[in-house]
Every structure is written in C-alpha cells, then in structure tokens.
Amino acid sequence: WGINTIQRYLNGDIPKPAYSDKLKEILKKPDIFKEILVTNKDNITDVAFNKSVEKVDIIFVTADKGLCGGFNVQTIKTVRRMIDELKAKKIKVRLRAVGKKGIEFFNFQGVELLETYVGASSSPTYEKAQKIIKDAIDDFTNGITDKVVLIHNGYKNMISQEIRVNDIVPIEPSRIVAVETNSLMEFEPEDNYTKIMDELLNKYFEYSMYYALVDSLAAEHSARMQAMDNATNNAKQRVKQLNRAYNKARQESITTE
C-alpha cells in the first residue's frame, strides 16, 4: 500500500473497517493528526520537531470585504501584538497575508508582506489552502524559517467570534491533548511508516489551513450579520429620535401660533 494508502481508502480499496474508521476520524479532527504524529515521532522527518527559533512566518486570515464590525481589526491587532513580542526577542518576522482587508492595512502602514492572497478567504477551497500552506512549509523545511504560526478570527457562535492562534510547526508534544484512540499503525502492516507519517504530516498542514479559511468565513458572516443588525437597530433608534424632535418642534410651532 505505501504512500498511496489514503487515496486507496478514498477509492474504497482498503478492506479493513477499523482502518477506514480511523482515517475518517483523523480527516474530520485535525488534532488527532497531531496525536498520531507525536506518537510516531521517530518515523517522521526530524525537521518537523525543530525548536530553534530565529525567524517566524505568520500567516493571518482576514476578510476580502468590510461591513463586518471589528472582525478584521481583532485579527490585525493580534498580528501586530505578536510581531512586537517576537521583535522584542530579536526574532525576525515575515508576514503572509490572506484577505484584502489585512493586505490593505499593512500596505498602508508600510509593513512588508512576503506573500499576499486575495480571494481565498471569501471563497475558500482545499486547493487554495494547499498553495498557501505549501509555500510556508517549504521555507520551513528548507531551513529558511524556524516556525510557522497561523492566525485567524474563528466562529464561536452567531453573536461572537474568537481569535485562534495555531503554531503549525514545529510540533510541540507538550501541547498535544490526549485523545482516546488506537494507533493507526495497528492497521498498517508492512507499510513504509516514514512515508505514511510524512504524508499525514502534509495532510495536517493542509487541513489546518483549510479549516482556518472556512472557520474564518463562517465567523465573518456571523460578524457581518451582527454588524448589519446593530446598524439596523441604530437606524431605527435614530428615526425615533428624529420623529420626537420633529413632533416637539411641530407642537412648539402650533403653540406659538
């Protein structure tokens, strides 16, 4: 089976239900990728666990459109705060901006952006996510950067959003939340473990990026609905105020006459 195992599962060629169920589980929950990767650390490329940090890539996601309240501002503030913290530690920072609003802000501030991506946050696809994260991971693998951080404003509920900061690489075992799951290796006899784990590692990167794009879009829509609702309520309140002022002026005019 080797490196084509996941594709064979998607094609329905793998006979064991337990293996199929495990793949379905890890495809739905990116955190399980981390648990498996850390458990099988010895079978993965060492660079994935590199810890020396001198240069950091920050990938941040904002909207392509406005009229969504403070949605974009929260992300931008988080990015600026992280930049200041890293620079205080004499760590170099590179920015990869996803979304027109974030790009416009940092361009106006004269901050250099390494890469810009327009259209990915408003219309996310897995292929767009692959492109964005691949560029960052390739630089990490080649030793150009030492860490990749992903920042986006995520969906919490219909009336609120929350900033999510994800350290994509290096993978820190201490940050892994224990998951009750059997090892994927139980269902992988005679496979090339290193190739399989590296493939899972790539899938973890790609799904993390894709999730950030989709989660950000959901949060953007909820923020925009809330902003429009607030604007409508404010407009109604203003109309009431103007009506009262008009009626008062009209009454005073009648009284004067």
Side-chain angles (χ1 to χ4, degrees):
W1 294 349
I3 198 171
N4 296 318
T5 302
I6 292 180
Q7 188 59 49
R8 291 189 64 187
Y9 158 69
L10 296 175
N11 293 338
D13 296 332
I14 296 176
K16 290 191 176 182
Y19 182 86
S20 298
D21 290 343
K22 180 54 59 182
L23 276 180
K24 288 178 182 177
E25 185 180 6
I26 62 179
L27 288 175
K28 290 179 181 178
K29 302 177 182 178
D31 283 346
I32 295 180
F33 272 115
K34 273 192 175 183
E35 191 272 341
I36 293 172
L37 293 171
V38 173
T39 301
N40 297 275
K41 177 178 177 180
D42 293 338
N43 295 318
I44 305 176
T45 307
D46 290 339
V47 70
F49 293 91
N50 175 42
K51 293 184 179 180
S52 177
V53 178
E54 295 180 358
K55 184 182 292 186
V56 174
D57 264 5
I58 298 177
I59 306 173
F60 65 92
V61 182
T62 58
D64 284 328
K65 302 176 182 179
L67 301 178
C68 46
F71 175 78
N72 295 307
V73 174
Q74 293 176 26
T75 305
I76 291 171
K77 284 184 176 179
T78 301
V79 173
R80 295 186 68 182
R81 183 165 56 249
M82 180 171 288
I83 291 173
D84 292 340
E85 291 173 355
L86 291 172
K87 287 187 175 180
K89 299 176 182 177
K90 301 188 183 302
I91 297 175
K92 297 181 180 179
V93 179
R94 307 193 311 176
L95 297 179
R96 298 178 184 269
V98 181
K100 188 176 179 180
K101 289 303 176 180
I103 294 170
E104 289 178 346
F105 175 84
F106 283 102
N107 281 340
F108 181 78
Q109 295 293 321
V111 178
E112 181 181 358
L113 298 175
L114 179 66
E115 296 286 351
T116 58
Y117 306 89
V118 176
S121 58
S122 58
S123 180
T125 66
Y126 190 75
E127 290 72 23
K128 292 176 182 177
Q130 281 180 309
K131 167 61 178 171
I132 296 170
I133 199 66
K134 182 179 184 302
D135 292 340
I137 296 302
D138 283 349
D139 282 355
F140 177 84
T141 303
N142 293 328
I144 298 175
T145 58
D146 306 303
K147 188 175 185 179
V148 177
V149 180
L150 176 57
I151 300 174
H152 75 281
N153 200 354
Y155 179 87
K156 186 175 183 181
N157 53 52
M158 286 301 296
I159 61 173
S160 63
Q161 304 80 42
E162 62 181 2
I163 293 295
R164 291 170 182 167
V165 180
N166 184 8
D167 293 344
I168 300 296
V169 281
I171 298 172
E172 295 288 349
S174 61
R175 299 185 61 182
I176 305 304
V177 178
V179 178
E180 293 184 4
T181 177
N182 294 323
S183 173
L184 180 66
M185 295 300 109
E186 292 181 13
F187 314 111
E188 275 298 320
E190 301 179 1
D191 265 345
N192 185 322
Y193 290 164
T194 300
K195 288 184 178 180
I196 291 174
M197 298 314 300
D198 281 346
E199 181 68 15
L200 282 175
L201 190 63
N202 288 330
K203 289 297 180 183
Y204 161 68
F205 297 148
E206 294 166 2
Y207 271 87
S208 294
M209 187 70 240
Y210 182 56
Y211 170 78
L213 294 177
V214 174
D215 190 40
S216 177
L217 182 59
E220 177 191 338
H221 285 326
S222 67
R224 183 169 289 111
M225 289 175 63
Q226 184 181 7
M228 294 299 98
D229 187 55
N230 290 338
T232 299
N233 292 336
N234 290 338
K236 290 179 179 179
Q237 184 64 30
R238 184 56 177 163
V239 168
K240 289 181 180 179
Q241 292 174 350
L242 292 174
N243 279 333
R244 284 197 294 267
Y246 168 76
N247 291 332
K248 181 178 179 180
R250 180 172 176 273
Q251 186 64 40
E252 289 176 350
S253 176
I254 293 174
T255 302
T256 301
E257 292 177 358

